[in-house]
Amino acid sequence: MTDISCDILISGGGIAGMTAAAACGSAGFSVVCVDPAPPVTERDNAAADMRSTAMLQPARRVLEAAGLWEALAPHAAPLQIMRIVDAGGETAEARLTREFRAADISEQPFGWNFPNWLLRREMVSRLDALETVDFRPGTATQSVFTRETGARITLSDKSRIHARLLIAADGRHSPVRQAAGIGVSTRRYGQKALAFTVTHPEPHENVSTEIHRTGGPFTLVPLPDLDGKPSSAVVWMDDGPLAQTRFGMEVSAFETAMSERSCHLFGPLTLASHRTIWPIISQKADRLAAERTALIAEAAHVVPPIGAQGLNMSLADTATLLDLASKSPDTLGDRVMLDAYHKARYSDISLRVQGIDLLNRASQVSTPALRDARAAGLQALYAIAPVRKTLMQMGLGVR
């Protein structure tokens, strides 16, 4: 059995966990990062994550601090416009379209979109290059024991890690959160989301398009061209049984269904990847910290994929932890630091979880009267310029 000491152990090697490892390692902290599942870094692998992530403006600063941005930038699809379409009439066609332009509040795009498999590829490369980070894919956290002076973690490879801070980035069912005795509040919607990549004849012109009809939004987020054709990442949320049926459709039937649901805004859509599916929930941990333990990402909060909030909230967690650690490295992981982390993040997380919950429930409505009310609400918010700009700034996480 090997005993190792480090500053930080990160349990969870998804996108959030690897970003946190790169950021903390780049800041000079010694880091061990573990995950039971090795990351899939090839697009054509059947297990590849076909979702994409829009990194909003504040997230770029985290990626730069982590030494990741330079490698990611050539693959970025900038998000200049967020378009919301209400298609809640009798037929699946746009009846109200409103565009929120980044130029109204900033010289930069709202953010930059990346395929998740590509993010994993570049993050693995960065961790391999950092002498301060020991990345162990295929290794799980087996047990955790904490005390005021530190944490002792036993891994599946029989190593025992002594860490000053344990960061839980191990997902919505976080074993580390459970070991810390932190409860969660969960809301289930009866929805599932399909994620896949498409090509289309009409260019997206760096516009992210969210189409509301019933069951949940159908969102197309710009990607770089694929095989010379405009390409977008799609997340299609709907009632669970309907999404499950579409998941198993023959490709030609699925392409017909998704083209109709997109209101043919980009012409007929062609499936350019395999499909993945997952259930939609909202979830929030009762606290963000326990003895020598901090929760980030889906261990701390889960939201439906609306408004590009999920991973950007996660990177805000990392930025806050790293700021506190860098200001006072001698107190890394102590009670005062972790109380400050909880206080700094919990109110913002609560507000965003509640706000996205309301947006998602509005997107699910099926009766004509409620669809009309949703369209009227969109129009009212958009029509008042100061309100429109404030909403865009809040969505970015900036003031």
Side-chain angles (χ1 to χ4, degrees):
M1 184 177 289
T2 304
D3 280 32
I4 299 171
S5 294
C6 66
D7 293 322
I8 301 168
L9 185 134
I10 299 173
S11 183
I15 292 173
M18 285 194 288
T19 303
C24 294
S26 296
F29 293 100
S30 58
V31 179
V32 175
C33 180
V34 300
D35 194 281
V40 178
T41 58
E42 300 86 22
R43 182 184 185 278
D44 295 330
N45 189 310
D49 183 352
M50 297 313 299
R51 293 173 293 178
S52 69
T53 296
M55 298 290 190
L56 302 180
Q57 288 180 17
R60 175 173 170 172
R61 293 192 288 273
V62 180
L63 297 175
E64 288 173 339
L68 288 163
W69 180 253
E70 185 176 354
L72 288 172
H75 308 286
L79 306 178
Q80 299 287 2
I81 297 173
M82 301 288 191
R83 175 189 294 146
I84 298 180
V85 177
D86 187 274
E90 291 297 319
T91 58
E93 59 184 20
R95 62 173 181 169
L96 177 67
T97 300
R98 293 294 179 263
E99 294 185 346
F100 297 82
R101 298 177 178 273
D104 290 343
I105 60 170
S106 173
E107 295 181 355
Q108 293 186 330
F110 285 119
W112 300 266
N113 198 49
F114 302 93
N116 283 6
W117 65 266
L118 185 142
L119 289 171
R120 286 182 167 88
R121 185 187 74 190
E122 298 304 328
M123 288 172 179
V124 168
S125 177
R126 175 59 178 162
L127 295 186
D128 286 346
L130 279 169
E131 295 183 358
T132 50
V133 177
D134 178 3
F135 181 45
R136 302 189 187 185
T139 304
T141 299
Q142 283 196 333
S143 66
V144 174
F145 173 76
T146 64
R147 52 190 176 187
E148 285 288 337
T149 55
R152 186 177 68 205
I153 304 98
T154 302
L155 305 179
S156 60
D157 65 3
K158 306 307 179 184
S159 297
R160 289 192 305 196
I161 310 295
H162 298 266
R164 298 165 65 197
L165 173 64
L166 169 61
I167 296 178
D170 50 350
R172 60 184 64 184
H173 304 299
S174 171
V176 171
R177 184 188 65 223
Q178 295 174 31
I182 300 175
V184 294
S185 300
T186 304
R187 179 186 292 274
R188 304 186 186 280
Y189 300 95
Q191 294 168 294
K192 290 186 177 180
L194 287 167
F196 47 93
T197 300
V198 298
T199 58
H200 38 79
E202 298 296 327
H204 50 60
E205 297 179 334
N206 295 327
V207 178
S208 178
T209 302
E210 194 171 276
I211 305 165
H212 294 263
R213 183 162 173 76
T214 187
F218 183 99
T219 305
L220 300 103
V221 188
L223 291 174
D225 286 359
L226 180 63
D227 298 329
K229 300 174 183 177
S231 179
S232 295
V234 177
V235 175
W236 185 357
M237 292 168 57
D238 209 335
D239 294 340
L242 291 174
Q244 194 68 52
T245 297
R246 295 182 186 120
F247 180 65
M249 278 183 173
E250 292 292 332
V251 170
S252 59
F254 183 72
E255 289 178 337
T256 298
M258 68 176 174
S259 296
E260 180 181 358
R261 183 60 179 82
S262 72
C263 300
H264 297 277
L265 294 178
F266 297 95
L269 304 181
T270 300
L271 187 64
S273 73
H274 64 271
R275 288 160 272 182
T276 57
I277 189 168
W278 77 98
I280 298 300
I281 65 169
S282 285
Q283 185 167 280
K284 183 182 67 172
D286 297 339
R287 283 192 57 80
L288 302 182
E291 187 177 67
R292 290 286 163 178
T293 304
L295 310 185
I296 69 169
E298 289 201 342
H301 44 75
V302 182
V303 293
I306 295 175
Q309 293 299 301
L311 187 63
N312 288 278
M313 291 167 63
S314 304
L315 297 192
D317 300 338
T318 293
T320 302
L321 269 179
L322 190 57
D323 181 61
L324 291 167
S326 298
K327 286 179 178 177
S328 185
D330 292 340
T331 61
L332 177 69
D334 73 4
R335 185 183 301 273
V336 173
M337 175 192 164
L338 292 175
D339 285 346
Y341 169 63
H342 173 85
K343 182 177 180 181
R345 290 292 299 137
Y346 198 72
S347 294
D348 181 70
I349 288 169
S350 299
L351 178 64
R352 292 178 189 278
V353 170
Q354 182 179 21
I356 295 168
D357 167 68
L358 292 172
L359 290 173
N360 188 39
R361 284 191 280 151
S363 77
Q364 287 185 276
V365 298
S366 57
T367 65
L370 290 176
R371 290 184 192 181
D372 291 345
R374 181 181 63 202
L378 171 61
Q379 172 59 21
L381 290 173
Y382 185 86
I384 306 172
V387 173
R388 183 170 70 248
K389 291 183 179 180
T390 298
L391 288 173
M392 287 191 285
Q393 290 168 334
M394 289 179 64
L396 287 179
V398 299
R399 296 291 183 267

